[in-house]
Amino acid sequence: MKARKIPMRKCVVLNEMKPKKDMIRIVRSKEGEVSIDPTGKLPGRGAYLSMEPDVVTKSQEKEILDRVLGSKLTPEFYEELLKYVTHQKARKELFAND
């Protein structure tokens, strides 16, 4: 049986290629709304971040997502993103044994 290809994406903060399932997609719609895209299928300009809380804080400090997506992000958005990433990382570690 043929081995399946693993889709890879580049983290905009770390500049490293990682499997898509280990990343979170942030998307900016045509209207300029920025949101978290858990499915990876929302239309618009997307940017990928590693699923690490320190990557999110580094992105906020250096305003990397703001530059990549071309819009000013609010501190509330970064708080929501940090909560989401922390929650997803905890879930992944909890269910890693399955």
Side-chain angles (χ1 to χ4, degrees), residues 6-71:
I6 299 171
M8 303 290 278
R9 299 291 183 265
K10 185 182 267 192
C11 175
V12 295
V13 176
L14 301 176
N15 233 4
E16 294 177 356
M17 296 292 284
K18 293 189 175 186
K20 185 178 175 182
K21 67 177 183 171
D22 296 341
M23 309 283 271
I24 180 68
R25 183 173 185 249
I26 311 301
V27 66
R28 182 191 49 145
S29 67
K30 286 185 178 181
E31 293 79 34
E33 270 184 47
V34 178
S35 59
I36 299 169
D37 182 10
T39 62
K41 296 180 182 182
L42 288 177
R45 172 79 171 115
Y48 286 88
L49 287 177
S50 295
M51 198 75 80
E52 297 290 330
D54 57 328
V55 171
V56 174
T57 55
K58 185 176 178 183
S59 169
Q60 184 176 11
E61 289 167 4
K62 296 188 176 187
E63 298 182 347
I64 295 170
L65 272 179
D66 298 36
R67 275 183 276 143
V68 170
L69 296 174
S71 64

